[in-house]
Amino acid sequence: MLKVHPSRSVSSNNTNKPEDQRPRGGDPDPQFNWRGLLLFAVAFALIGGAFIFRGGNLAQVEELTYPKFSTLLAEGKIVSTQEKPVELVVEEGRNTQTISGYYRKMVTVPPATEPEERLVAFRTPIFMPFNGEALEKQLAKAGITPSVRSESNLLATTLIGFLPILLFLVILYFIFRSQLKMAGRGAFNFGKSKARMMARDKNKITFKDVAGVEEAREEVSELVDFLRDPKKFQKLGGRIPKGVLMVGPPGTGKTLLARAIAGEADVPFFSISGSDFVEMFVGVGASRVRDMFEQGRKSAPCLIFIDEIDAVGRHRGHGMGGGHDEREQTLNALLVEMDGFDAQDGVIIIAATNRPDVLDPALLRPGRFDRQVTVNLPDVRGREEILRVHIKKVKVADSVDLAVIARGTPGYSGAELANVINEAALLAARKGLKAITTRELEEARDKVRWGKERRSLAISEKEKEVTAYHEAGHALLLELLEHTAPLHKVTIIPRGPSLGSTMWLPEEDKYNTRRKELLDHLVVIMGGRVAEDITFGDVTSGARGDIKQATGIARKMVCQWGMSEKLGMIEYGDGDEPVFLARDFNRTRDYSESTAQAIDAEVKLLIDEAYGRASKLLTEKRPQLEIIAKALLEWETLEGSQIRDLIAHGEMKNPPHRDPPPPPIPTEVVPVASTEERKSNEGSLPGGLTPVPA
């Protein structure tokens, strides 16, 4: 496979469209809540009526103090006519009374500039025990006989006191009404399923959009036939699998394949994540499981897709707190629903995970997930098919050979290949090209896997020289040793966390590695450190990544692959199996302390022997090492053929061409092109860029 040595690393600083979905957790077609609006209107009307009842009207009334009222009365400005009488309002059970009426006031009303006399309504509270007699004398002296009106404020006081509380309760009701109906039908709405349904007319993905997984596609084609014509199987007594579990690394197209099944069968497609079942409230996950299956039965025939099912399907009984947690209750509900799920309902469950080792065995038995479909990383032919699917959406030069690109991307998933095409299109657009060339595709490949070139990183000449000799050691050993893959490229341009990289390409996809190949690979890994030592008489911390990689390979050779003559064909430890904390917390080591010491000794022996072989070869080929390092200092990046020319002839037959410097980042604001200009340039830019599929 295409590999790279990030050997010279920087020390210690490494560090469905919304319209296609229904609203989550609620009714598919929410309606306007007229009842709530009516309740709000009634509440505000009652409060407003109370104030009106208490105040008498809603007109603007000026509050006058008793001294101010006395002054106006003495000046004769208080009006007392049949149309506008002076009223004395007597409130039952209270010593305070209110006198109201109108008085004359000079007011300037725009646009007029001169003040004019206007009648203004007033209201003055009178405390009768102190001001009652004085008020009678003042009114009699002014010749005013007020009309007396009695009123009771008990109702208004009651309404004004209790209606704000009622209004507050109504507001709280509407705030929390979405959470009312617990477990789907009770107090809260948390139990409603969050499954998103993609309608038939929205799902346009079919099997022609899925490439590189031919075996998996053939295995699920039966599901499509069943969903199209269930009676065909029922007549023969056949039973379609209730559930299909898709297993594979991330980005291999598990979700895409499930959507293609729904698109081919032309049935509704429900999608939900395993984490959507888990909430802080007890019983919510189990309720959502039941609601999800109920929705599926109503829309049958249909597909229900559960992504990352390991979030709720892990082993039971391994919980640190006793095992009776919310996740286990959700799993129990899922097991019960799948066990009682009638196969004739036309509802098929598809789940995806990249951790099948942590799933509960009860979930994997026949009758629940009857079939497991493995979706592996694509081989060289599958990668070429995937590239052809995504290349249709962009403009590509006629000289591009997708077979070469597929051969140069071993270990890439479908998502990474789609990202390579997208990044290549962006690079071509940035360069102003009319189509994507092979150079952009190769640059995008390196960028997706190892990061963008960091040409702006300030590196001293001494540091660059050390990096050049380091990478030259790797490259030279790749060509000298027999059991290694062909050298592809060497660069001393920083990329990602590394200061330099050495890449090689396999001649074909490899699924097994021989012991001789691993031993030569260890020698190649040691080459960078050895080159530093024999050239400068000192070593740097840049070989940290090499040491880590070599230690990992040597330990696997001893503990997993039985390649140690002293320890034999025995597996020590659990290999590369990821740690499942709830299950592996108390796991003890299955070998003795003396065996552990023997393992460490064997690992060290393998690495020391590789270091010795690398030191011997590079010392013998010191002139070639010097030539390659100096060429790297001059050109920074060399192809494998150019390295082979330097080893054989001391010079390159086809030296690399120098790339023009990248355009500077604009500091001024670039004016936005008009619509007409954009339309005229559409034909010269790569189009159809699509996001990476799930």
Side-chain angles (χ1 to χ4, degrees):
M1 40 185 318
L2 177 64
K3 300 208 174 185
V4 62
H5 273 289
S7 47
R8 288 290 303 165
S9 57
V10 182
S11 303
S12 70
N13 286 327
N14 295 341
T15 48
N16 305 329
K17 297 184 179 180
E19 59 268 19
D20 298 344
Q21 303 171 358
R22 290 189 177 184
R24 301 180 58 170
D27 298 331
D29 299 313
Q31 298 180 353
F32 189 78
N33 192 352
W34 291 103
R35 182 181 297 178
L37 181 62
L38 182 61
L39 288 176
F40 267 114
V42 171
F44 280 111
L46 291 175
I47 294 177
F51 281 103
I52 294 173
F53 183 78
R54 185 176 182 181
N57 55 60
L58 289 178
Q60 186 176 0
V61 180
E62 185 177 343
E63 289 282 342
L64 298 180
T65 62
Y66 182 76
K68 178 68 174 176
F69 169 75
S70 299
T71 303
L72 293 174
L73 185 61
E75 294 175 354
K77 293 183 179 181
I78 302 299
V79 178
S80 178
T81 62
Q82 188 175 358
E83 293 80 12
K84 299 184 182 300
V86 177
E87 289 186 341
L88 182 63
V89 181
V90 179
E91 300 178 2
E92 298 178 0
R94 301 184 63 181
N95 293 326
T96 303
Q97 299 180 9
T98 304
I99 189 169
S100 61
Y102 293 83
Y103 76 97
R104 298 182 183 88
K105 185 178 182 179
M106 301 301 293
V107 180
T108 302
V109 179
T113 58
E114 297 293 332
E116 59 180 10
E117 189 177 76
R118 292 285 181 98
L119 297 181
V120 180
F122 74 90
R123 181 176 178 274
T124 303
I126 307 295
F127 194 58
M128 297 303 296
F130 293 96
N131 301 321
E133 296 181 0
L135 177 63
E136 292 180 3
K137 294 179 180 179
Q138 287 178 335
L139 291 175
K141 185 177 181 181
I144 297 174
T145 302
S147 60
V148 181
R149 177 168 57 87
S150 299
E151 68 177 22
S152 175
N153 65 342
L154 180 60
L155 178 60
T157 304
T158 304
L159 290 175
I160 293 173
F162 285 96
L163 279 181
I165 300 175
L166 178 62
L167 182 62
F168 178 73
L169 294 177
V170 171
I171 294 174
L172 286 182
Y173 168 76
F174 283 102
I175 291 176
F176 294 102
R177 71 179 297 270
S178 61
Q179 302 174 5
L180 298 176
K181 299 181 182 178
M182 184 62 172
R185 304 189 185 275
F188 291 92
N189 196 29
F190 291 120
K192 191 75 173 177
S193 173
K194 292 188 176 183
R196 302 172 293 276
M197 189 186 87
M198 182 176 293
R200 301 180 184 181
D201 58 337
K202 299 294 184 180
N203 189 12
K204 305 298 183 182
I205 297 177
T206 58
F207 282 153
K208 67 179 181 181
D209 301 310
V210 182
V213 287
E214 298 297 329
E215 293 80 5
R217 191 167 65 181
E218 293 176 1
E219 202 165 353
V220 299
S221 59
E222 296 178 3
L223 304 179
V224 177
D225 294 337
F226 173 78
L227 292 171
R228 286 177 175 176
D229 188 13
K231 295 182 180 180
K232 174 183 175 182
F233 295 86
Q234 296 169 4
K235 289 179 180 178
L236 299 175
R239 183 179 61 85
I240 203 68
K242 291 183 179 179
V244 177
L245 181 64
M246 293 185 180
V247 180
T252 51
K254 299 184 292 294
T255 304
L256 187 65
L257 184 58
R259 292 182 62 182
I261 297 171
E264 285 286 339
D266 193 24
V267 296
F269 179 76
F270 290 91
S271 176
I272 192 171
S273 174
S275 60
D276 290 336
F277 292 109
V278 183
E279 289 282 356
M280 62 180 292
F281 299 102
V282 177
V284 172
S287 176
R288 289 178 177 175
V289 170
R290 292 189 293 269
D291 186 74
M292 180 186 67
F293 278 87
E294 184 179 349
Q295 291 184 31
R297 292 187 184 95
K298 293 179 180 178
S299 303
C302 69
L303 280 175
I304 297 178
F305 178 67
I306 305 175
D307 200 7
E308 305 296 343
I309 195 174
D310 52 278
V312 295
R314 295 188 176 227
H315 281 279
R316 292 171 293 175
H318 297 286
M320 303 295 291
H324 301 288
D325 57 3
E326 168 65 9
R327 179 184 55 78
E328 293 194 1
Q329 294 186 29
T330 305
L331 176 59
N332 291 336
L334 181 62
L335 295 176
V336 171
E337 287 291 334
M338 292 193 69
D339 207 24
F341 210 46
D342 189 0
Q344 309 303 325
D345 285 342
V347 181
I348 297 176
I349 307 297
I350 301 178
T353 181
N354 54 4
R355 293 291 308 276
D357 56 305
V358 304
L359 295 180
D360 194 277
L363 196 61
L364 303 178
R365 73 156 176 83
R368 289 180 176 136
F369 284 108
D370 305 81
R371 184 176 297 179
Q372 292 191 25
V373 178
T374 302
V375 187
N376 287 318
L377 293 172
D379 56 8
V380 61
R381 184 167 45 184
R383 293 194 297 272
E384 185 176 352
E385 294 176 357
I386 294 173
L387 290 172
R388 293 193 184 281
V389 170
H390 295 288
I391 212 72
K392 297 176 182 177
K393 304 172 184 177
V394 296
K395 296 182 179 181
V396 184
D398 297 334
S399 60
V400 173
D401 189 356
L402 294 181
V404 176
I405 305 299
R407 179 175 167 265
T409 52
Y412 280 60
S413 65
E416 288 178 314
L417 292 173
N419 199 19
V420 168
I421 300 297
N422 190 60
E423 289 291 342
L426 295 178
L427 287 172
R430 191 156 55 241
K431 294 179 181 179
L433 303 178
K434 295 183 179 180
I436 303 172
T437 65
T438 303
R439 186 168 185 176
E440 280 73 49
L441 287 170
E442 292 184 350
E443 187 176 350
R445 175 199 62 195
D446 298 341
K447 181 182 178 181
V448 169
R449 181 56 62 92
W450 301 292
K452 183 177 176 57
E453 292 182 346
R454 299 188 296 165
R455 293 183 177 271
S456 61
L457 185 63
I459 303 176
S460 64
E461 292 298 323
K462 183 65 175 177
E463 192 78 19
K464 186 179 288 186
E465 185 181 9
V466 173
T467 303
Y469 277 94
H470 186 106
E471 302 303 331
H474 289 311
L476 182 58
L477 290 176
L478 270 174
E479 292 298 319
L480 294 178
L481 295 173
E482 180 182 0
H483 305 288
T484 58
L487 178 64
H488 174 63
K489 183 188 295 184
V490 185
T491 180
I492 60 173
I493 299 175
R495 185 186 293 272
S498 64
L499 298 179
S501 304
T502 301
M503 311 172 192
W504 62 90
L505 277 174
E507 296 179 345
E508 58 185 8
D509 286 346
K510 296 180 66 68
Y511 303 100
N512 292 298
T513 308
R514 296 177 295 169
R515 186 174 185 272
K516 292 182 179 179
E517 294 174 343
L518 291 171
L519 292 176
D520 284 358
H521 186 45
L522 288 176
V523 177
V524 173
I525 295 175
M526 293 291 105
R529 180 70 169 256
V530 171
E532 293 180 12
D533 191 13
I534 64 177
T535 303
F536 304 102
D538 197 2
V539 294
T540 67
S541 61
R544 168 170 74 101
D546 294 341
I547 296 173
K548 181 179 180 181
Q549 187 179 5
T551 304
I553 294 175
R555 190 167 293 277
K556 289 179 180 178
M557 292 176 64
V558 174
C559 298
Q560 300 178 33
W561 301 332
M563 295 183 179
S564 172
E565 297 180 357
K566 181 178 181 180
L567 295 175
M569 294 180 291
I570 299 176
E571 183 182 20
Y572 300 96
D574 296 322
D576 284 336
E577 182 181 353
V579 177
F580 180 25
L581 183 60
R583 185 185 65 202
D584 304 333
F585 185 74
N586 294 320
R587 177 173 292 181
T588 58
R589 192 171 60 185
D590 55 0
Y591 50 87
S592 64
E593 186 64 31
S594 60
T595 303
Q597 294 178 1
I599 292 173
D600 294 339
E602 284 293 296
V603 172
K604 187 176 184 301
L605 178 63
L606 289 173
I607 294 177
D608 289 345
E609 289 179 351
Y611 193 92
R613 289 179 60 193
S615 181
K616 180 181 178 182
L617 288 172
L618 291 181
T619 302
E620 294 175 354
K621 302 294 182 178
R622 179 72 178 276
Q624 289 87 341
L625 179 66
E626 296 284 347
I627 294 174
I628 297 174
K630 291 179 180 179
L632 284 173
L633 288 172
E634 180 180 359
W635 300 99
E636 292 186 334
T637 299
L638 297 176
E639 300 292 334
S641 59
Q642 297 164 346
I643 296 291
R644 287 186 282 274
D645 288 342
L646 291 174
I647 297 174
H649 311 291
E651 61 181 5
M652 292 179 288
K653 297 180 179 180
N654 296 311
H657 66 277
R658 298 187 183 275
D659 294 330
I665 300 175
T667 57
E668 299 180 358
V669 179
V670 180
V672 180
S674 62
T675 306
E676 292 76 10
E677 294 175 342
R678 290 197 298 268
K679 290 183 178 180
S680 63
N681 296 329
E682 284 181 354
S684 62
L685 296 177
L689 308 186
T690 56
V692 179

